[in-house]
CSV table of all heavy atoms in Angstrom, one decimal:
chain,number,residue,atom,x,y,z
A,459,GLY,N,7.2,-2.6,6.8
A,459,GLY,CA,7.9,-1.3,6.7
A,459,GLY,C,9.3,-1.4,7.4
A,459,GLY,O,9.6,-2.4,8.0
A,460,GLY,N,10.0,-0.3,7.3
A,460,GLY,CA,11.3,-0.2,8.0
A,460,GLY,C,12.1,0.9,7.5
A,460,GLY,O,11.6,1.8,6.8
A,461,LEU,N,13.3,0.9,8.0
A,461,LEU,CA,14.3,2.0,7.6
A,461,LEU,C,15.2,1.4,6.4
A,461,LEU,O,15.7,0.4,6.5
A,461,LEU,CB,15.2,2.3,8.8
A,461,LEU,CG,16.3,3.3,8.5
A,461,LEU,CD1,15.8,4.7,8.1
A,461,LEU,CD2,17.2,3.4,9.8
A,462,VAL,N,15.2,2.2,5.4
A,462,VAL,CA,16.0,1.8,4.2
A,462,VAL,C,16.7,3.0,3.6
A,462,VAL,O,16.3,4.1,3.7
A,462,VAL,CB,15.1,1.1,3.2
A,462,VAL,CG1,14.0,2.1,2.7
A,462,VAL,CG2,15.8,0.5,2.0
A,463,GLN,N,17.9,2.7,2.9
A,463,GLN,CA,18.6,3.8,2.3
A,463,GLN,C,18.0,4.2,1.0
A,463,GLN,O,17.3,3.3,0.4
A,463,GLN,CB,20.0,3.4,2.1
A,463,GLN,CG,20.8,3.2,3.4
A,463,GLN,CD,22.3,2.9,3.1
A,463,GLN,OE1,22.7,2.5,2.0
A,463,GLN,NE2,23.1,3.2,4.1
A,464,PRO,N,18.2,5.4,0.5
A,464,PRO,CA,17.7,5.8,-0.8
A,464,PRO,C,18.2,4.8,-1.9
A,464,PRO,O,19.3,4.3,-1.8
A,464,PRO,CB,18.3,7.2,-1.0
A,464,PRO,CG,18.4,7.7,0.3
A,464,PRO,CD,18.8,6.6,1.2
A,465,GLY,N,17.3,4.4,-2.8
A,465,GLY,CA,17.6,3.4,-3.8
A,465,GLY,C,17.3,2.0,-3.3
A,465,GLY,O,17.3,1.1,-4.2
A,466,GLY,N,16.9,1.8,-2.1
A,466,GLY,CA,16.6,0.5,-1.6
A,466,GLY,C,15.2,0.0,-1.9
A,466,GLY,O,14.4,0.7,-2.6
A,467,SER,N,14.9,-1.2,-1.4
A,467,SER,CA,13.6,-1.8,-1.6
A,467,SER,C,13.0,-2.3,-0.3
A,467,SER,O,13.7,-2.6,0.6
A,467,SER,CB,13.8,-2.9,-2.6
A,467,SER,OG,14.3,-2.5,-3.8
A,468,LEU,N,11.6,-2.4,-0.3
A,468,LEU,CA,10.9,-3.0,0.7
A,468,LEU,C,9.7,-3.6,0.1
A,468,LEU,O,9.2,-3.2,-1.0
A,468,LEU,CB,10.4,-2.0,1.7
A,468,LEU,CG,11.4,-1.4,2.7
A,468,LEU,CD1,10.8,-0.2,3.5
A,468,LEU,CD2,11.9,-2.4,3.7
A,469,ARG,N,9.1,-4.6,0.8
A,469,ARG,CA,7.8,-5.3,0.4
A,469,ARG,C,6.9,-5.2,1.5
A,469,ARG,O,7.1,-5.7,2.6
A,469,ARG,CB,8.1,-6.7,0.0
A,469,ARG,CG,6.8,-7.3,-0.7
A,469,ARG,CD,6.9,-8.8,-0.8
A,469,ARG,NE,6.0,-9.4,-1.7
A,469,ARG,CZ,5.6,-10.6,-1.6
A,469,ARG,NH1,6.0,-11.5,-0.8
A,469,ARG,NH2,4.7,-11.1,-2.6
A,470,LEU,N,5.8,-4.4,1.3
A,470,LEU,CA,4.8,-4.3,2.3
A,470,LEU,C,3.7,-5.4,2.1
A,470,LEU,O,3.4,-5.7,1.0
A,470,LEU,CB,4.1,-2.9,2.2
A,470,LEU,CG,5.0,-1.7,2.3
A,470,LEU,CD1,4.2,-0.4,2.3
A,470,LEU,CD2,6.0,-1.8,3.4
A,471,SER,N,3.1,-5.8,3.2
A,471,SER,CA,2.0,-6.8,3.1
A,471,SER,C,0.8,-6.2,3.9
A,471,SER,O,1.0,-5.4,4.9
A,471,SER,CB,2.4,-8.1,3.7
A,471,SER,OG,3.5,-8.7,3.0
A,472,CYS,N,-0.4,-6.7,3.6
A,472,CYS,CA,-1.6,-6.3,4.3
A,472,CYS,C,-2.4,-7.6,4.4
A,472,CYS,O,-2.9,-8.1,3.4
A,472,CYS,CB,-2.3,-5.2,3.6
A,472,CYS,SG,-4.0,-4.8,4.2
A,473,ALA,N,-2.6,-8.1,5.6
A,473,ALA,CA,-3.5,-9.2,5.8
A,473,ALA,C,-4.9,-8.8,6.1
A,473,ALA,O,-5.1,-7.9,7.0
A,473,ALA,CB,-2.9,-10.0,7.0
A,474,ALA,N,-5.8,-9.3,5.3
A,474,ALA,CA,-7.2,-8.8,5.4
A,474,ALA,C,-8.1,-9.9,5.9
A,474,ALA,O,-7.9,-11.1,5.7
A,474,ALA,CB,-7.7,-8.5,4.0
A,475,SER,N,-9.1,-9.5,6.7
A,475,SER,CA,-10.1,-10.4,7.2
A,475,SER,C,-11.4,-9.7,7.4
A,475,SER,O,-11.5,-8.4,7.5
A,475,SER,CB,-9.6,-11.1,8.5
A,475,SER,OG,-9.4,-10.1,9.5
A,476,GLY,N,-12.5,-10.4,7.6
A,476,GLY,CA,-13.8,-9.8,7.9
A,476,GLY,C,-14.6,-9.4,6.7
A,476,GLY,O,-15.7,-8.8,6.9
A,477,PHE,N,-14.2,-9.7,5.5
A,477,PHE,CA,-14.9,-9.4,4.3
A,477,PHE,C,-14.4,-10.3,3.2
A,477,PHE,O,-13.4,-11.0,3.4
A,477,PHE,CB,-14.8,-7.9,3.9
A,477,PHE,CG,-13.4,-7.5,3.5
A,477,PHE,CD1,-13.1,-7.4,2.2
A,477,PHE,CD2,-12.5,-7.2,4.5
A,477,PHE,CE1,-11.8,-7.0,1.8
A,477,PHE,CE2,-11.2,-6.8,4.1
A,477,PHE,CZ,-10.8,-6.7,2.8
A,478,THR,N,-15.2,-10.3,2.1
A,478,THR,CA,-14.8,-11.2,1.0
A,478,THR,C,-13.7,-10.5,0.2
A,478,THR,O,-13.9,-9.7,-0.7
A,478,THR,CB,-16.0,-11.5,0.1
A,478,THR,OG1,-17.0,-12.0,0.9
A,478,THR,CG2,-15.6,-12.5,-1.0
A,479,PHE,N,-12.5,-10.8,0.5
A,479,PHE,CA,-11.3,-10.1,0.0
A,479,PHE,C,-11.2,-10.2,-1.5
A,479,PHE,O,-11.0,-9.2,-2.2
A,479,PHE,CB,-10.0,-10.7,0.6
A,479,PHE,CG,-8.7,-10.1,0.1
A,479,PHE,CD1,-8.3,-8.9,0.6
A,479,PHE,CD2,-7.9,-10.7,-0.8
A,479,PHE,CE1,-7.1,-8.3,0.1
A,479,PHE,CE2,-6.7,-10.2,-1.3
A,479,PHE,CZ,-6.3,-9.0,-0.8
A,480,SER,N,-11.5,-11.4,-2.1
A,480,SER,CA,-11.4,-11.6,-3.5
A,480,SER,C,-12.4,-10.8,-4.3
A,480,SER,O,-12.3,-10.8,-5.6
A,480,SER,CB,-11.5,-13.1,-3.8
A,480,SER,OG,-12.8,-13.6,-3.4
A,481,SER,N,-13.4,-10.2,-3.7
A,481,SER,CA,-14.4,-9.5,-4.4
A,481,SER,C,-14.2,-8.0,-4.3
A,481,SER,O,-14.9,-7.2,-4.9
A,481,SER,CB,-15.8,-9.8,-3.8
A,481,SER,OG,-16.2,-11.1,-4.0
A,482,SER,N,-13.1,-7.5,-3.6
A,482,SER,CA,-12.9,-6.1,-3.3
A,482,SER,C,-11.7,-5.6,-4.0
A,482,SER,O,-10.6,-6.1,-3.9
A,482,SER,CB,-12.8,-5.9,-1.8
A,482,SER,OG,-12.7,-4.5,-1.5
A,483,PRO,N,-11.8,-4.4,-4.7
A,483,PRO,CA,-10.6,-3.7,-5.1
A,483,PRO,C,-9.9,-3.2,-3.8
A,483,PRO,O,-10.6,-3.0,-2.8
A,483,PRO,CB,-11.2,-2.5,-5.9
A,483,PRO,CG,-12.6,-2.4,-5.5
A,483,PRO,CD,-13.1,-3.7,-5.1
A,484,MET,N,-8.6,-3.2,-3.9
A,484,MET,CA,-7.8,-2.8,-2.8
A,484,MET,C,-6.8,-1.7,-3.2
A,484,MET,O,-6.4,-1.6,-4.3
A,484,MET,CB,-7.1,-4.0,-2.2
A,484,MET,CG,-7.9,-5.1,-1.6
A,484,MET,SD,-8.9,-4.7,-0.2
A,484,MET,CE,-7.6,-4.4,1.0
A,485,SER,N,-6.4,-0.9,-2.2
A,485,SER,CA,-5.5,0.2,-2.5
A,485,SER,C,-4.5,0.3,-1.4
A,485,SER,O,-4.7,-0.2,-0.3
A,485,SER,CB,-6.3,1.5,-2.6
A,485,SER,OG,-7.2,1.4,-3.7
A,486,TRP,N,-3.5,1.1,-1.7
A,486,TRP,CA,-2.5,1.6,-0.7
A,486,TRP,C,-2.6,3.1,-0.7
A,486,TRP,O,-2.6,3.7,-1.8
A,486,TRP,CB,-1.1,1.1,-1.0
A,486,TRP,CG,-0.8,-0.3,-0.8
A,486,TRP,CD1,-0.9,-1.3,-1.7
A,486,TRP,CD2,-0.5,-0.9,0.4
A,486,TRP,NE1,-0.6,-2.5,-1.1
A,486,TRP,CE2,-0.3,-2.3,0.2
A,486,TRP,CE3,-0.2,-0.4,1.7
A,486,TRP,CZ2,0.1,-3.2,1.2
A,486,TRP,CZ3,0.2,-1.3,2.7
A,486,TRP,CH2,0.3,-2.7,2.5
A,487,VAL,N,-2.5,3.7,0.5
A,487,VAL,CA,-2.4,5.1,0.6
A,487,VAL,C,-1.3,5.4,1.6
A,487,VAL,O,-0.9,4.4,2.3
A,487,VAL,CB,-3.8,5.7,1.1
A,487,VAL,CG1,-4.9,5.4,0.2
A,487,VAL,CG2,-4.1,5.3,2.5
A,488,ARG,N,-0.8,6.6,1.6
A,488,ARG,CA,0.3,6.9,2.6
A,488,ARG,C,0.1,8.3,3.1
A,488,ARG,O,-0.6,9.2,2.6
A,488,ARG,CB,1.6,6.8,1.9
A,488,ARG,CG,1.9,7.8,0.8
A,488,ARG,CD,3.2,7.5,0.1
A,488,ARG,NE,3.6,8.4,-1.0
A,488,ARG,CZ,4.6,8.3,-1.8
A,488,ARG,NH1,5.4,7.3,-1.6
A,488,ARG,NH2,4.9,9.3,-2.7
A,489,GLN,N,0.7,8.5,4.3
A,489,GLN,CA,0.7,9.8,4.9
A,489,GLN,C,2.1,10.2,5.4
A,489,GLN,O,2.6,9.5,6.3
A,489,GLN,CB,-0.3,9.8,6.1
A,489,GLN,CG,-0.5,11.1,6.8
A,489,GLN,CD,-1.6,11.1,7.7
A,489,GLN,OE1,-2.0,10.1,8.3
A,489,GLN,NE2,-2.3,12.3,7.9
A,490,ALA,N,2.6,11.2,4.8
A,490,ALA,CA,3.9,11.7,5.2
A,490,ALA,C,3.8,12.6,6.4
A,490,ALA,O,2.7,13.1,6.7
A,490,ALA,CB,4.5,12.5,4.1
A,491,PRO,N,4.9,12.7,7.2
A,491,PRO,CA,4.8,13.5,8.4
A,491,PRO,C,4.2,14.9,8.1
A,491,PRO,O,4.7,15.6,7.3
A,491,PRO,CB,6.2,13.6,8.9
A,491,PRO,CG,6.9,12.4,8.3
A,491,PRO,CD,6.2,12.2,7.0
A,492,GLY,N,3.2,15.3,8.9
A,492,GLY,CA,2.6,16.6,8.8
A,492,GLY,C,1.7,16.8,7.5
A,492,GLY,O,1.2,17.9,7.3
A,493,LYS,N,1.4,15.8,6.8
A,493,LYS,CA,0.7,15.9,5.5
A,493,LYS,C,-0.6,15.0,5.6
A,493,LYS,O,-0.8,14.2,6.6
A,493,LYS,CB,1.5,15.4,4.3
A,493,LYS,CG,2.8,16.2,4.2
A,493,LYS,CD,2.6,17.6,3.7
A,493,LYS,CE,3.9,18.3,3.4
A,493,LYS,NZ,4.7,17.7,2.4
A,494,GLY,N,-1.5,15.2,4.7
A,494,GLY,CA,-2.7,14.4,4.6
A,494,GLY,C,-2.5,13.0,3.9
A,494,GLY,O,-1.4,12.8,3.4
A,495,LEU,N,-3.5,12.2,3.9
A,495,LEU,CA,-3.5,10.9,3.2
A,495,LEU,C,-3.4,11.2,1.7
A,495,LEU,O,-4.1,12.0,1.1
A,495,LEU,CB,-4.7,10.1,3.6
A,495,LEU,CG,-4.7,9.4,4.9
A,495,LEU,CD1,-6.1,8.9,5.2
A,495,LEU,CD2,-3.7,8.3,5.0
A,496,VAL,N,-2.6,10.4,1.1
A,496,VAL,CA,-2.4,10.5,-0.4
A,496,VAL,C,-2.5,9.1,-1.0
A,496,VAL,O,-2.0,8.1,-0.5
A,496,VAL,CB,-1.0,11.0,-0.7
A,496,VAL,CG1,-0.8,11.0,-2.3
A,496,VAL,CG2,-0.9,12.4,-0.2
A,497,TRP,N,-3.3,9.0,-2.1
A,497,TRP,CA,-3.5,7.7,-2.7
A,497,TRP,C,-2.2,7.3,-3.5
A,497,TRP,O,-1.5,8.2,-4.1
A,497,TRP,CB,-4.6,7.8,-3.8
A,497,TRP,CG,-4.8,6.6,-4.7
A,497,TRP,CD1,-5.3,5.4,-4.4
A,497,TRP,CD2,-4.3,6.6,-6.0
A,497,TRP,NE1,-5.3,4.6,-5.5
A,497,TRP,CE2,-4.7,5.3,-6.5
A,497,TRP,CE3,-3.7,7.4,-6.9
A,497,TRP,CZ2,-4.4,4.8,-7.8
A,497,TRP,CZ3,-3.4,7.0,-8.2
A,497,TRP,CH2,-3.7,5.7,-8.6
A,498,VAL,N,-1.8,6.0,-3.4
A,498,VAL,CA,-0.6,5.5,-4.0
A,498,VAL,C,-0.9,4.6,-5.1
A,498,VAL,O,-0.4,4.7,-6.2
A,498,VAL,CB,0.3,4.8,-2.9
A,498,VAL,CG1,1.5,4.1,-3.6
A,498,VAL,CG2,0.7,5.7,-1.9
Side-chain angles (χ1 to χ4, degrees):
L461 173 62
V462 62
Q463 292 186 340
S467 298
L468 285 171
R469 189 193 196 202
L470 309 184
S471 298
C472 172
S475 62
F477 64 101
T478 306
F479 180 77
S480 59
S481 298
S482 180
M484 297 293 296
S485 301
W486 287 96
V487 302
R488 66 186 181 185
Q489 186 169 27
K493 303 287 183 66
L495 284 170
V496 174
W497 172 77
V498 174

